[in-house]
């Protein structure tokens, strides 16, 4: 193949290879993640209209450098000297797509800007304009050049007026300031290989089928045939680096030692919403994704990891606005004024649930890694705690944008069962019309706004200055999830628990914003809604009053669900969990005493009626207050009433050790 050097006109303000390679800064995703995200999304965007399935095949393996290098004018000797013998490659090919259509020979920039071939091969930063598209073919494609020495081969077959045309061209992007660059004579670090058909200044792709077939055969790939159209991207001379490593000193998960397994995991991680998902196709009309890695199909019913099976079910639930299993909760996200044209219309739905270690097959005999590991999270402390809250989200194309772990989508007091993690998925109402003010900037739908605020690597949504749609979506999602955990009957430990922090040794004071958040706190003077059908028993710490170094009085408010048996209990806050007395002695034995005890409980009000009695003195019809013994760690409050009740009171606590932090919780006992 003949070479074309990118011109280095000092007045053209053209980027060099170094600037291009730095234009997609993402230190959180591996090379494989970036390549999988970009390539599949571009394939999905190029799918032929009304086609039910997009086929994407990844191939990994080795090729003989001597046979490939001879095709690259001016760099053959350098390649053979530095990379002799067998070298590694990765390729991604799609079918049921249009291929790289468009003109490549015109001198009219308007024509070239509408050419997919030109934008992918020559147009750095040229984005696709297709409505609802996810890929860019702009900055995202730099992920291809960073995986190897900088060489990428593009092969495509397109249909033009009932005839088929094949095209193959190669490109190089490298840092021209490096001493070990491949093309030392090139001042911009950018070049292409093809053939000269029109003149000696404009490079064209190879279009001869047999010549193309010879190059493809070096990678055990074949020409498209019959009525097939599509695109193949081949990255030869892969860097000799640990496949999934983001940082040099980062440890590797089991699947990251094999490129094939790493790709299979990345496909699930970012595209489970669309992989063989017929409900996605039925609802949105877009194609499903049929993906293989070295001829091994990826399918939810065959080889999905457990975390992705649960997440696909969440995605479908949020997409349809209807829970697909009893464990899932689905809620509308409404932003109120200044967001949707129809203020009663939701901007999207969030679906969420808890999953246990057993459900994620983290226990024997499978002993799989933490669910977070499969999401690409390498925070050891979070993986060991098994109590993270993870909210994922995506647009219409079905690529997961981000997994927000214990972040702004799910912060605050959400108490999970031991050994459980919360997983959630937000799906926007893509076709919903935004308020009229957005139309002034040509952003009429939710999908168009979200696409406009998605950064260049599609890894996060960030509002434009002066607009708070994303911030409000996050805040409302967070609020709804927390609200569900404050009122859900299905969880034994369903309460809002309130922590006490130390000040001056054992003297305890409540932290800032202690107890329920302001969004959930009751306003003094307003009627208390105590008959909510879905509300479970809960407790809030109001204040604490240290009496001396070893005793503190804690004021609380509690809601007692109708016809329920409840237990207010003390716990010890540790780094990973909250430990009650039974768990404490199970772990510690009898040598270390539980550090907190309840001396007495005073009830001051019941449904705003003054009481001012110790629970030892209270005799209420259909109510029972019971402290098992003086110096106990819990108190039982049982109700046979037909309505829920509000109680206010104080707990007098003995502090046996100032080395631990106490926590107060309430559980409904079955």
């Amino acid at each position: 193949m003949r070479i074309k050097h990118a011109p280095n006109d000092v007045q053209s303000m053209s980027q060099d290879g170094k600037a291009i390679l730095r234009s997609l800064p993402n230190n959180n995703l591996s090379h494989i993640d970036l390549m999988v995200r970009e390539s599949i999304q571009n394939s999905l965007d190029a799918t032929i209209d009304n086609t039910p399935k997009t086929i994407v095949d990844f191939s990994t393996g080795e090729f003989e450098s001597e046979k490939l290098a001879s095709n690259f004018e001016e760099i053959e000797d350098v390649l053979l000297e530095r990379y002799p013998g067998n070298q590694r490659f990765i390729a991604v090919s799609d079918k049921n797509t249009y291929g790289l259509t468009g003109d490549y020979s015109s001198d009219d920039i308007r024509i070239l800007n509408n050419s997919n071939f030109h934008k992918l091969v020559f147009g750095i930063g040229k984005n696709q304009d297709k409505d609802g598209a996810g890929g860019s073919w702009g900055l995202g494609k730099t992920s291809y050049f960073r995986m190897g020495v900088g060489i990428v081969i593009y092969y495509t077959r397109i249909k033009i007026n009932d005839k088929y045309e094949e095209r193959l061209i190669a490109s190089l992007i490298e840092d021209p300031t490096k001493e070990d660059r491949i093309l030392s004579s090139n001042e911009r670090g950018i070049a292409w290989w093809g053939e000269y058909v029109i003149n000696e200044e404009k490079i064209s792709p190879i279009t001869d089928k047999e010549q193309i077939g010879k190059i493809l055969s070096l990678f055990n790939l074949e020409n498209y045939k019959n009525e097939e159209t599509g695109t193949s991207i081949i990255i030869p001379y892969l860097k000799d680096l640990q496949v999934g490593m983001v940082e040099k000193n980062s440890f590797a998960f089991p699947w990251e030692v094999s490129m094939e397994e790493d790709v299979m995991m990345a496909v699930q991680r970012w595209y489970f919403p669309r992989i063989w998902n017929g409900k996605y196709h039925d609802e949105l009309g877009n194609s499903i994704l049929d993906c293989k890695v070295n001829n091994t199909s990826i399918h939810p019913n065959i080889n999905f990891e457990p975390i992705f099976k649960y997440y696909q079910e969440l995605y479908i639930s949020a997409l349809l606005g209807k829970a697909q299993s009893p464990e899932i909760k689905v809620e509308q996200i409404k932003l109120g004024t200044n967001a949707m044209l129809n203020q009663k219309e939701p901007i999207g739905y969030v679906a969420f649930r808890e999953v246990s270690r057993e459900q994620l097959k983290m226990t024997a005999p499978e002993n799989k890694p933490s669910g977070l590991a499969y999401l690409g999270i390498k925070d050891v402390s979070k993986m060991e705690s098994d109590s993270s809250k993870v909210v994922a989200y995506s647009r219409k194309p079905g690529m997961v944008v981000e997994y927000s772990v214990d972040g702004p989508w799910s912060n605050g007091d959400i108490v999970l069962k031991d050994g459980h993690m919360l997983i959630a998925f937000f799906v926007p109402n893509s076709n919903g019309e935004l308020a009229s003010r957005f139309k002034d900037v040509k952003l009429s739908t939710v999908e168009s706004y979200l696409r406009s605020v998605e950064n260049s690597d599609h890894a996060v949504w960030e509002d434009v200055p002066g607009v708070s749609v994303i911030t409000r979506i996050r805040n409302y999602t967070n609020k709804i999830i927390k609200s569900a955990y404050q009122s859900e009957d299905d969880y034994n430990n369903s309460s809002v628990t309130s922590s006490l922090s130390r000040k001056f040794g054992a003297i305890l004071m409540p932290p800032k914003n202690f107890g329920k958040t302001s969004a959930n706190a009751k306003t003094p003077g307003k009627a208390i809604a105590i008959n909510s059908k879905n509300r479970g028993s809960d407790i809030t710490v109001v204040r604490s009053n240290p009496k001396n170094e070893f005793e503190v009085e804690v004021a609380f408010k509690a809601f007692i669900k109708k016809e329920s048996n409840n237990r207010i209990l003390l716990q010890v806050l540790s780094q990973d969990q909250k430990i009650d007395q039974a768990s404490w002695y199970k772990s510690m034995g009898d040598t270390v005493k539980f550090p907190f005890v309840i001396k007495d409980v005073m009830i001051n009000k019941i449904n705003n009626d003054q009481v001012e009695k110790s629970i030892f003195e209270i005799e209420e019809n259909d109510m029972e207050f019971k402290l098992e013994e003086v110096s106990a760690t819990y108190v039982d409050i049982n109700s046979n009433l037909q309505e829920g009740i509000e109680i206010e009171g104080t707990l007098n606590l003995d502090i046996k050790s100032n080395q631990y932090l106490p926590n107060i919780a309430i559980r409904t006992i079955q």
Side-chain angles (χ1 to χ4, degrees):
M1 291 186 290
R2 300 282 305 281
I3 187 173
K4 173 184 172 64
H5 292 265
N8 191 34
D9 182 353
V10 295
Q11 292 184 328
S12 68
M13 298 181 66
S14 299
Q15 290 179 301
D16 63 11
K18 181 178 181 179
I20 293 170
L21 293 173
R22 295 174 60 185
S23 63
L24 189 66
N26 192 315
N27 296 321
N28 299 318
L29 298 179
S30 71
H31 294 290
I32 291 293
D33 280 322
L34 290 171
M35 187 262 191
V36 166
R37 284 164 63 93
E38 177 70 12
S39 60
I40 292 182
Q41 194 58 70
N42 287 332
S43 296
L44 294 172
D45 290 343
T47 300
I48 297 172
D49 295 340
N50 301 317
T51 300
K53 181 172 67 174
T54 304
I55 299 173
V56 179
D57 294 333
F58 287 88
S59 303
T60 65
E62 294 184 345
F63 65 94
E64 295 182 51
S65 180
E66 288 75 13
K67 293 183 178 180
L68 179 65
S70 61
N71 292 279
F72 289 91
E73 185 181 31
E74 291 191 20
I75 63 171
E76 175 182 358
D77 293 340
V78 176
L79 292 176
L80 291 178
E81 179 182 352
R82 297 183 186 178
Y83 312 104
N86 289 347
Q87 297 291 324
R88 296 189 305 152
F89 78 93
I90 186 170
V92 55
S93 303
D94 60 41
K95 294 179 182 178
N96 293 346
T97 63
Y98 286 108
L100 298 179
T101 58
D103 200 322
Y104 54 80
S105 60
S106 176
D107 292 322
D108 189 334
I109 190 63
R110 293 171 297 179
I111 294 176
L112 295 179
N113 281 340
N114 290 320
S115 166
N116 285 333
F117 183 90
H118 177 82
K119 286 192 288 187
L120 179 59
V121 178
F122 299 102
I124 302 299
K126 296 290 186 180
N127 293 332
Q128 292 192 73
D129 299 320
K130 181 179 178 181
D131 184 43
S136 67
W137 286 349
L139 300 179
K141 72 179 180 185
T142 64
S143 59
Y144 305 152
F145 296 94
R146 294 191 291 179
M147 290 188 67
V149 298
I151 297 174
V152 176
I153 301 171
Y154 302 102
Y155 162 60
T156 189
R157 188 176 192 239
I158 63 174
K159 187 176 183 180
I160 305 176
N161 298 326
D162 297 327
K163 293 184 179 181
Y164 293 92
E165 177 180 303
E166 297 188 32
R167 302 169 173 178
L168 186 145
I169 196 168
S171 180
L172 169 73
I173 298 180
E174 62 178 349
D175 185 347
T177 66
K178 289 188 175 181
E179 293 184 1
D180 62 346
R181 60 190 184 275
I182 294 175
L183 198 56
S184 59
S185 61
N186 189 296
E187 295 179 346
R188 282 186 61 197
I190 303 172
W192 299 271
W193 284 266
E195 60 183 1
Y196 290 96
V197 177
I198 303 173
N199 54 51
E200 288 295 316
E201 294 182 357
K202 186 172 294 184
I203 196 80
S204 298
I206 297 170
T207 57
D208 181 76
K209 179 179 179 180
E210 291 186 3
Q211 187 178 356
I212 292 174
K214 290 179 180 179
I215 295 175
L216 294 177
S217 67
L218 300 178
F219 306 99
N220 293 318
L221 301 175
E222 297 180 351
N223 299 71
Y224 290 106
K225 55 188 177 182
N226 300 327
E227 298 180 353
E228 293 176 344
T229 55
T231 300
S232 297
I233 298 172
I234 306 166
I235 306 172
Y237 298 107
L238 293 179
K239 292 179 180 178
D240 186 18
L241 48 74
Q242 186 174 309
V243 178
M245 184 158 31
V246 178
E247 299 176 356
K248 289 183 179 180
N249 297 324
S250 178
F251 65 88
F253 294 122
W255 51 87
E256 290 180 334
V257 299
S258 162
M259 178 167 289
E260 177 179 332
E261 293 182 12
D262 203 17
V263 172
M264 292 189 72
M265 196 63 64
V267 172
Q268 295 178 64
R269 181 179 301 131
W270 303 115
Y271 287 99
F272 67 77
R274 204 155 169 174
I275 298 174
W276 287 104
N277 187 353
K279 292 183 179 179
Y280 169 89
H281 171 68
D282 295 342
E283 183 69 15
L284 298 177
N286 291 346
S287 61
I288 65 170
L289 174 60
D290 175 5
C291 188
K292 297 182 179 67
V293 180
N294 289 342
N295 295 318
T296 298
S297 180
I298 302 175
H299 197 286
N301 298 329
I302 299 175
N303 50 10
F304 257 30
E305 293 297 336
I307 186 71
F308 299 120
K309 292 195 69 172
Y310 288 117
Y311 250 125
Q312 190 183 72
E313 192 176 37
L314 283 179
Y315 173 81
I316 295 171
S317 298
L319 178 67
L320 303 180
K322 181 179 180 181
Q324 300 299 293
S325 70
E327 296 81 12
I328 295 175
K329 300 166 190 61
V330 180
E331 298 289 348
Q332 293 183 351
I333 303 297
K334 291 185 176 180
L335 302 188
T337 59
N338 299 322
M340 303 297 288
L341 187 64
N342 179 358
Q343 295 184 13
K344 295 181 180 180
E345 186 178 16
I347 200 166
Y349 291 83
V350 62
F352 54 97
R353 64 166 296 167
E354 287 186 33
V355 288
S356 67
R357 291 172 56 87
E358 290 75 18
Q359 289 170 319
L360 297 179
K361 297 185 178 180
M362 295 170 59
T363 55
E366 291 91 351
N367 294 317
K368 289 180 176 290
S370 165
L372 293 178
Y374 294 98
L375 306 182
I377 308 303
K378 291 198 172 185
D379 187 324
V380 176
S381 62
K382 289 185 180 297
M383 286 190 288
E384 290 178 347
S385 69
D386 295 327
S387 60
S388 286
K389 302 171 287 291
V390 187
V391 181
Y393 52 94
S394 74
R395 294 191 290 110
K396 190 174 181 179
M399 180 185 75
V400 176
V401 175
E402 180 194 17
Y403 293 99
S404 176
V405 182
D406 301 323
W409 291 79
S410 60
N411 58 19
D413 293 327
I414 300 176
V415 181
L416 305 177
K417 299 176 185 176
D418 290 342
H420 286 64
M421 63 183 289
L422 172 74
I423 58 175
F425 206 106
F426 171 77
V427 176
N429 175 15
S430 294
N431 297 326
E433 291 189 60
L434 290 170
S436 56
R437 64 191 180 102
F438 290 96
K439 295 183 179 180
D440 296 336
V441 289
K442 298 181 180 180
L443 298 173
S444 60
T445 65
V446 174
E447 180 73 13
S448 62
Y449 178 79
L450 294 179
R451 189 180 187 219
S452 72
V453 300
E454 205 169 273
N455 59 12
S456 60
D457 57 5
H458 312 289
V460 71
W461 290 339
E462 295 178 345
D463 276 314
V464 296
V467 180
S468 60
V469 171
I470 303 303
T471 302
R472 292 165 69 190
I473 290 174
R474 286 199 303 255
N475 291 343
Y476 274 80
T477 299
N478 184 26
K479 179 180 178 181
I480 282 175
I481 294 175
K482 287 199 297 184
S483 177
Y485 273 78
Q486 291 169 357
S487 62
E488 178 54 48
D489 292 345
D490 295 339
Y491 298 97
N492 289 333
N493 192 4
S494 61
S495 66
V496 178
T497 62
S498 302
S499 305
L500 301 175
S501 62
R502 291 174 295 180
K503 183 178 181 182
F504 307 118
I507 300 177
L508 307 179
M509 296 292 289
K512 184 179 180 181
N513 297 327
F514 195 71
K516 290 185 178 178
T517 62
S518 59
N520 297 309
K522 297 178 178 60
T523 304
K526 290 188 176 182
I528 301 173
I530 63 175
N531 294 319
S532 174
K533 294 181 180 180
N534 295 322
R535 188 177 179 184
S537 298
D538 56 61
I539 191 169
T540 302
V541 170
V542 178
R543 65 183 179 278
S544 62
N545 178 33
K547 293 185 174 181
N548 54 55
E549 187 178 358
F550 302 106
E551 189 174 354
V552 64
E553 180 183 80
V554 180
F556 70 90
K557 290 183 178 181
F559 174 80
I560 305 300
K561 182 186 172 184
K562 68 177 183 178
E563 298 180 315
S564 63
N565 300 324
N566 307 273
R567 175 166 293 175
I568 296 177
L569 67 153
L570 298 180
Q571 299 169 323
V572 175
L573 281 177
S574 70
Q575 183 176 0
D576 299 327
Q577 58 184 315
K578 301 175 180 69
I579 306 172
D580 60 17
Q581 185 185 45
S583 299
W584 174 275
Y585 285 123
K586 185 176 180 180
S587 301
M588 300 285 202
D590 297 329
T591 57
V592 182
K593 297 297 182 182
F594 193 77
F596 316 114
V597 294
I598 302 173
K599 291 182 61 179
D600 191 13
V601 182
M602 294 291 296
I603 304 300
N604 303 323
K605 290 183 180 180
I606 299 179
N607 286 350
N608 289 326
D609 295 331
Q610 292 294 133
V611 178
E612 303 294 345
K613 291 183 179 180
S614 167
I615 62 170
F616 295 113
E617 304 170 330
I618 292 179
E619 293 183 4
E620 293 287 328
N621 294 333
D622 296 320
M623 286 288 295
E624 179 183 9
F625 298 82
K626 187 176 182 182
L627 188 65
E628 287 294 332
E629 58 182 10
V630 177
S631 299
T633 60
Y634 63 85
V635 57
D636 287 338
I637 303 178
N638 304 324
S639 173
N640 293 323
L641 298 175
Q642 299 300 308
E643 294 181 342
I645 61 168
E646 292 274 8
I647 64 173
E648 297 181 22
T650 57
L651 289 88
N652 293 311
L653 305 183
D654 260 355
I655 310 299
K656 301 298 183 182
S657 171
N658 64 6
Q659 297 181 14
Y660 306 96
L661 291 176
N663 189 73
I664 296 174
I666 189 169
R667 289 176 180 168
T668 300
I669 305 170
Q670 301 298 330

